[in-house]
Amino acid sequence: MQTLTATYWLMASLLDKGRKIVWLAHRHELLNQAQRSFIRVCYKDISRTKTAYNWRIISGQHDKPIHIKPTDDIIIASKTSLKRGLNYFLKNWLEVNGDKVFLIIDEAHHA
């Protein structure tokens, strides 16, 4: 329920206003949970300015950091996988979107 509440708030307060999200977690279950929550809220009636969002999951079971595009709105990533492609991520996504990025660390006590 906490993840769903967080994604709803992020959608209404930030994504709909053109901000970008990086969601970091340390377990695949948490990445999948975040993905399901974003899917539930990103296409609801809470988005007033955007009709679609680009998102990507970065992990050993999903995608790789080298596939991240500057137009991605939501990056859901394992800290380990993102670290492996950190230079690419920094140069090709964060430098482009840096002033619009909001970082979430799921279960931060494990980070």
Side-chain angles (χ1 to χ4, degrees), residues 5 16 19 23 26 31 42 46 58 65 75 78 82 85 89 105 108:
T5 301
D16 194 45
R19 302 286 300 266
W23 185 290
H26 70 287
L31 300 175
C42 278
I46 58 174
I58 305 299
I75 305 291
S78 73
L82 193 58
F89 171 73
I105 302 175

Side-chain angles (χ1 to χ4, degrees), residues 8 11 16 40-50:
Y8 182 89
M11 175 70 200
D16 194 45
R40 283 182 67 182
V41 301
C42 278
Y43 303 102
K44 299 286 184 187
D45 202 21
I46 58 174
S47 179
R48 303 207 191 293
T49 62
K50 292 185 78 167

Side-chain angles (χ1 to χ4, degrees), residues 34-44 55:
Q35 175 194 23
R36 286 190 305 272
S37 294
F38 275 112
I39 288 171
R40 283 182 67 182
V41 301
C42 278
Y43 303 102
K44 299 286 184 187
W55 54 276

